[in-house]
Amino acid sequence: FCLVDFLSLFRQVRERLKQQVVEMKEKFPGFRPGLAILQVGNRDDSNLYINMKLKAAAEIGISANHIKLPNTATEADVLKCIASLNGDPAVHGFIVQLPLDSDKPINTEKITNAVAPEKDVDGLSSINAGKLSRGDLGDCFIPCTPKGCMELIRQTGIQVAGKRAVVVGRSKIVGAPMHDLLLWNHATVTTCHSKTSTLAEEVGKADILVVAAGKAEMVKGEWIKPGAIVIDCGINHVPDSTKASGKRVVGDVAYNTAKEKASYITPVPGGVGPMTVAMLMQSTVESAQRFLEKFQPGKWNIQYTQLTLKVPVPSDIEISQSCIPKPIDQLAKEVGLLPDEVELYGQTKAKVHLSALKRLKNQPDGKYIVVTGITPTPLGEGKSTTTVGLVQALGAHLHQNVFACVRQPSQGPTFGIKGGAAGGGYCQVTPMEEFNLHLTGDIHAVTAANNLVAAAIDTRIFHELTQTDQALYNRLVPSVSGVRKFSDIQIRRLQKLGINKTDPTALTKEEVNLFVRLDIDPGTITWQRVLDTNDRFLRKITIGQSPTEKGFSRTAQFDITVSSEIMAVLALSDGLVDMKKRLGRMVVASSKRGEPVTADDLGVTGALAVLMKDAVKPNLMQTLEGTPVFVHAGPFANIAHGNSSVLADKIALKLVGKEGFVVTEAGFGADIGMEKFFNIKCRYSGLRPHVVVLVATVRALKMHGGGPTVTAGVPLPKEYVEENLQLLAKGCSNLNKQIQNARIFGVPVIVAVNAFKTDTKAELALVVQMAKEAGAFDAVECTHWAEGGKGAVALAQAVQRASQTPSNFRFLYNVELPVVDKIRLIAQQIYGARDIELLPEAQEKVTLYTKQGFGNLPICMAKTHLSLSHDPEQKGAPTGFILPIRDIRASVGAGFLYPLVGTMTTMPGLPTRPCFYDIDLDPVSGEVNGLF
């Protein structure tokens, strides 16, 4: 007989697997195959086997995790643990150690079937067993012992096909799958068991004999056919007085007599056992490889939605409701998100967990595209529509991986004058009613968090006015069960005050006074209450008029929610930790000593983080043609930076892969949204854009050429519906200036000429010509509103070409410059101003913020979007004007100063005929009707 060198064989398998793991790590930095072993109870034999598996995993480079439940664990406990491991993307192989050593009744088959088939590296689930029995060997996991047995048989060099094989034993773990495995390797297989009456006769026919009966030395040597291959899977203990333990281990085959007749035979112990462990490791590595193949970043298998175009183009809501979106979990899977990274909000929207960014952190980013526009008319020029059209063209028509990242719209304008912001025509985020209304509640979370701060400010002033230092201290640091203790946020305040004490009883009277008195100067409060509704009558209010407020009243106001600094914080944060720090840094007022008072000083930071913990996750939706969209954050584009979230962009850039595209939109014209995108958002995110898409319309350019006033809700004057090349050419001065504004930052510019049905071919051709002459990389006529992605294919191809050219991105200014110099640079280089003029209040703020340490923050100019200047009536590209700065305010948590240019409101009002006149609900179908 011949004894296979099992130790050498095991080492070969181990070295092969180790090399495969190394190759995976090199190809996917930071990746490591993961194995989880779930044990119930504390059986000695199970502990021994698990330790062998853990040791083997460590040698190969597999990350192995041993989860141990007590023997009091119930079936529900075990199933809950399995569900958690099924959803863990770091676990690629998962076994339940049998038997389950529990005091409670547990259905073993129910437990093994609960393991996700794609992670069932033990091959014990019914799905994997069924696939094996059908011969789907390449699409299932084979139980490790039979798999190891086959490896041992192959090592003998025997040709399995055509041989007679006998399997003794019919267990689900070894016998039955061994039969199937031999059968599908083309052996003629007989299964025997303890009740087989002609067992010796059947064994004698076997060229290949696999014994897994669980009975010591059941198969006798004389039964075995001369030259047969014998695989002994048994492990049995028999009495042996010569051993210290009083017993020895034997197999199911009488080894000493069998070896005289077999050509190959496995020893017990030391044969099948180590190979079983090796096959467990091999299955885990195979599972990890399948995972990488399936969820390889940048490798999408996406189904696009076919549009049925109609002429004339129906209303936006009709188009949206006529297109049936894919289930959002399907889209998430298509773009490479894992099930545990997606939190479903119904069938059409979902939140994406930040763990996706952590998983993908070592993957390269795709191409980063920003869509902006010329100075618009009050009607808007279609930036959102162009953003959606571009991603539909890149994805559904050019088959590139592409994500759109857009802001969530405020409900105020939706029900007010503007309507929805989902795009338009055949280029929309869908369902538009979900997009335009509550979505997943992020804006409501911002409202709640903002107003909690406002309540905390006035309440703190009230209590400080009506209580002594000691009374305040007793309430701020109460005695609970005779023990007084500072909270973490109170410790931070003490440290800020230079009081390095943690014992509440150790503070002096002076220290207590410093600790409990914020001494907020009511005249310096910059924090306002917010509401996500246009309500002009809340622009100025008086609070504290109830008798219970003891005469403490002050003038205050409501702003629209999206103007809250918390919204800007959400948009600029790169994770929960960063968001919490930014929330704590928000300055709400100054003390009477002139020191900044922060949310952290108010003790509200942790509560704000709790209110915002779900809002920080980007929202996943889709376009009409089935391309993915992140809808996240919606900061104002005047007193804030007007861009969607950094987190959405970062996750999307990882998901699309190196050759993919992420298209994001900057609010208002290029002089506002794009400038802030570059100088604020890109500065904080560290991301570098590849292409600017500048949206222009004939209508807006005619306005800049001196055309009549354009008013929402009023028919356009004839100058806008009749060809007028002279007026158009004059208005291209604004286009030229905005092209130059983009080029200042070193990024190539593509002009997207958003065509309307009233535009003539000569007018469109003139805009294209003048854009190229002004330095645009390319200029393209687009008809995506009427044709969907098909109408933006030329734009998408131009973006592809431009993205291959070098992007020499640079900021406009160094943040270390004095505040006034940074403002002047923006005014002169972006707006075309001759100089700036700081009014007294603004000059005071420059001095104050510089003294308080905020002088090195970026600048976020708050000015009209209807002109390059501060005067909305000045169209075209005015020059030589003085830009007046009437005040400067600080969003310290978000991370910028915002100078106020001219007058503006942060609480819009409703028009005479608001959009809500057209909005209704069908009580039968539940569908939203009306014009968005």
Side-chain angles (χ1 to χ4, degrees), residues 180-328:
D180 294 336
L181 198 54
L182 286 163
L183 180 67
W184 292 111
N185 277 276
H186 312 298
T188 301
V189 189
T190 301
T191 297
C192 301
H193 44 79
S194 58
K195 301 292 190 240
T196 302
S197 58
T198 57
L199 182 59
E201 180 182 340
E202 297 298 334
V203 167
K205 299 175 184 177
D207 301 312
I208 300 169
L209 176 64
V210 181
V211 186
K215 290 189 177 182
E217 300 184 329
M218 174 185 178
V219 173
K220 310 305 178 186
E222 55 268 23
W223 298 357
I224 295 171
K225 179 180 179 180
I229 294 170
V230 179
I231 308 295
D232 189 351
C233 302
I235 298 180
N236 308 283
H237 293 90
V238 296
D240 188 341
S241 58
T242 65
K243 303 291 183 181
S245 62
K247 56 187 178 182
R248 61 187 171 89
V249 176
V250 298
D252 291 352
V253 178
Y255 181 81
N256 289 330
T257 54
K259 69 181 182 180
E260 301 301 326
K261 301 190 73 175
S263 60
Y264 291 90
I265 187 169
T266 58
V268 177
V272 173
M275 190 54 65
T276 297
V277 174
M279 292 302 103
L280 173 62
M281 300 303 117
Q282 181 168 307
S283 292
T284 302
V285 171
E286 288 172 358
S287 181
Q289 290 170 331
R290 292 178 190 176
F291 172 85
L292 289 174
E293 179 67 22
K294 187 176 182 181
F295 293 102
Q296 186 174 333
K299 187 177 181 180
W300 291 8
N301 182 20
I302 187 167
Q303 293 180 353
Y304 298 107
T305 306
Q306 189 75 33
L307 292 177
T308 302
L309 304 178
K310 293 183 179 180
V311 179
V313 176
S315 70
D316 292 348
I317 190 81
E318 288 179 86
I319 293 172
S320 178
Q321 292 179 346
S322 70
C323 297
I324 301 174
K326 293 179 287 189
I328 201 67

Side-chain angles (χ1 to χ4, degrees), residues 35-39 50 53-54 65-67 94-95 97:
L35 172 67
I37 303 172
L38 176 59
Q39 180 185 11
I50 289 169
K53 295 166 185 174
L54 293 174
N65 184 20
H66 179 198
I67 302 97
F94 171 23
I95 68 169
Q97 185 67 40

Side-chain angles (χ1 to χ4, degrees), residues 364-667:
D365 289 341
K367 303 292 194 306
Y368 197 27
I369 316 300
V370 61
V371 176
T372 185
I374 62 171
T375 306
T377 68
L379 305 179
E381 309 317 308
K383 290 196 311 296
S384 298
T385 304
T386 301
T387 298
V388 176
L390 175 56
V391 297
Q392 288 181 171
L394 283 165
H397 298 269
L398 299 181
H399 305 293
Q400 302 294 306
N401 293 351
V402 61
F403 243 102
C405 292
V406 299
R407 288 184 293 168
Q408 179 184 353
S410 166
Q411 282 182 181
T414 295
F415 289 114
I417 194 169
K418 183 181 178 183
Y426 287 102
C427 297
Q428 297 183 45
V429 180
T430 187
M432 68 173 300
E433 58 269 42
E434 297 286 345
F435 174 88
N436 283 314
L437 298 176
H438 305 284
L439 196 57
T440 57
D442 293 351
I443 291 182
H444 301 318
V446 172
T447 302
N450 182 97
N451 292 343
L452 180 62
V453 177
I457 293 168
D458 290 308
T459 301
R460 186 59 176 261
I461 294 173
F462 172 79
H463 287 307
E464 288 188 24
L465 285 172
T466 56
Q467 296 183 50
T468 65
D469 288 357
Q470 194 57 49
L472 280 169
Y473 193 60
N474 290 341
R475 286 175 172 83
L476 288 170
V477 194
S479 176
V480 180
S481 302
V483 178
R484 301 181 78 173
K485 184 180 179 182
F486 291 122
S487 66
D488 290 343
I489 201 166
Q490 289 175 327
I491 293 288
R492 290 203 299 272
R493 171 150 174 80
L494 288 168
Q495 292 170 345
K496 178 180 176 179
L497 294 169
I499 303 171
N500 297 313
K501 296 178 180 178
T502 57
D503 181 0
T505 64
L507 268 64
T508 66
K509 285 186 178 181
E510 292 76 15
E511 290 170 340
V512 167
N513 175 267
L514 282 172
F515 176 73
V516 302
R517 299 280 172 191
L518 297 181
D519 277 334
I520 294 172
D521 180 353
T524 66
I525 295 172
T526 56
W527 196 269
Q528 309 299 342
R529 288 164 173 82
V530 298
L531 189 68
D532 194 31
T533 302
N534 286 7
D535 191 345
R536 65 189 306 131
F537 289 95
L538 293 177
R539 290 172 180 172
K540 189 173 184 179
I541 61 173
T542 302
I543 61 172
Q545 293 188 314
S546 169
T548 57
E549 281 26 274
K550 301 180 182 180
F552 170 63
S553 64
R554 68 181 181 89
T555 301
Q557 69 186 58
F558 269 82
D559 294 338
I560 193 91
T561 295
V562 291
S563 71
S564 168
E565 183 177 351
I566 293 178
M567 181 63 85
V569 165
L570 174 64
L572 289 170
S573 297
D574 67 5
L576 273 170
V577 173
D578 182 46
M579 182 181 73
K580 187 176 177 183
K581 288 179 180 176
R582 288 175 180 270
L583 291 170
R585 290 199 302 264
M586 295 186 305
V587 174
V588 300
S590 292
S591 71
K592 292 171 183 175
R593 297 183 298 274
E595 296 167 350
V597 178
T598 67
D600 225 37
D601 292 325
L602 288 167
V604 75
T605 305
L608 298 180
V610 169
L611 287 171
M612 295 294 293
K613 70 179 178 66
D614 291 319
V616 77
K617 307 167 191 170
N619 304 294
L620 178 65
M621 295 188 76
Q622 62 192 286
T623 67
L624 291 174
E625 296 192 51
T627 59
V629 181
F630 275 139
V631 184
H632 199 214
F636 246 27
N638 49 23
I639 69 165
H641 63 293
N643 286 267
S644 58
S645 79
V646 165
L647 279 168
D649 291 359
K650 285 190 170 184
I651 295 173
L653 284 163
K654 297 297 183 186
L655 287 170
V656 298
K658 187 176 181 181
E659 302 304 320
F661 294 85
V662 170
V663 182
T664 190
E665 178 191 345

